Amino acid sequence: MKILFVGESWVVHMIHTKGYDSFTSTKYEEGATYLLSCLRAEGIDVTYMPAHEVQVRFPQSLEELKAYDAIVISDVGANTFLLQNPTFYQMEIIPNALDNIKQYVAEGGGLLMVGGYLTFMGIEGKANYVNTVLAEVLPVVMQPGDDRVEMPAGFSPVAAQEHPLVGYGDWPRLLGYNKLAAKPDAAELLSYNGDAILTVGTYGEGKTAAFASDCSPHWGSLEFMDWPHYSAFWSNLVKSLQ
């Protein structure tokens, strides 16, 4: 199986103030390194595209997307896909990347969206997927505005029904999630407090999934990252999109 994993990267720019003087420093981080290693160990061929590369490297045609069995979008907002460099800086008319993803799924591709501060709606609503064509494709209903539910004391999702993707007994605690509801024709597999944590569905000929929490810190707690079933859960979820 071959997937395109998009997102889970960021740049942190810091100001250090020490008395009268101050200086800045910048660092680049990737959050999915461990997850990607788990997927590769399970025999999944992963092409990783960090968030900042989408603006110059994301496939421009449906044919290019069809080289992959599934696309995973994690913690990267809709603007990154919609405001690629040729459009934003050169005012060029180019294919809408999200329209291409929609058509890709309709014709049999898989799509997984993983929660975070810039997925679904995200912090201050800036991920803004509810106002894109992916709102039609995903198996969940997103709410307008900031959809984060912060859970510093942790929460453990529970299986909403018996299903091979969630049959791991007690789940580890997570530290937050995006507030979602399963669409009527989708299957809600994990729940918490009336919210859908893992939902699977279909769109056209393709398969879709939405995991409302994160695959890595901070919502993806150390307890989750160290969970013995972490690798099996993610690899089985991704393979189910085939």
Side-chain angles (χ1 to χ4, degrees), residues 50-226:
H52 65 278
E53 294 188 8
V54 171
Q55 292 162 286
V56 294
R57 285 189 50 220
F58 192 79
Q60 293 293 303
S61 69
L62 185 60
E63 290 69 28
E64 290 175 275
L65 288 179
K66 286 184 175 180
Y68 304 98
D69 297 302
I71 299 169
V72 181
I73 298 174
S74 184
D75 214 3
V76 55
N79 277 332
T80 300
F81 292 95
L82 297 172
L83 299 174
Q84 296 185 35
N85 285 4
T87 297
F88 194 72
Y89 294 108
Q90 284 84 45
M91 288 69 71
E92 294 179 14
I93 296 173
I94 65 172
N96 184 324
L98 299 184
D99 282 342
N100 281 348
I101 293 174
K102 175 184 175 180
Q103 189 63 30
Y104 160 83
V105 178
E107 296 186 15
L111 176 65
L112 165 63
M113 183 170 284
V114 181
Y117 270 35
L118 278 173
T119 336
F120 300 110
M121 288 303 287
I123 187 167
E124 299 174 357
K126 287 183 176 179
N128 200 32
Y129 282 101
V130 77
N131 290 311
T132 74
V133 295
L134 292 194
E136 181 182 344
V137 178
L138 291 167
V140 290
V141 177
M142 294 172 275
Q143 66 173 31
D146 195 321
D147 64 354
R148 293 170 303 136
V149 180
E150 299 290 352
M151 301 288 292
F155 78 99
S156 295
V158 297
Q161 58 178 284
E162 289 188 8
H163 194 281
L165 289 176
V166 295
Y168 299 107
D170 293 336
W171 280 67
R173 288 171 295 179
L174 298 160
L175 294 173
Y177 61 93
N178 300 95
K179 189 176 181 64
L180 305 170
K183 289 180 177 176
D185 59 348
E188 184 175 330
L189 303 185
L190 286 177
S191 302
Y192 178 75
N193 198 30
D195 296 326
I197 303 301
L198 175 63
T199 308
V200 296
T202 59
Y203 181 77
E205 299 297 320
K207 297 179 180 179
T208 61
F211 184 72
S213 193
D214 208 339
C215 61
S216 63
H218 82 282
W219 283 351
S221 64
L222 293 177
E223 187 175 312
F224 183 49
M225 302 293 288
D226 292 337

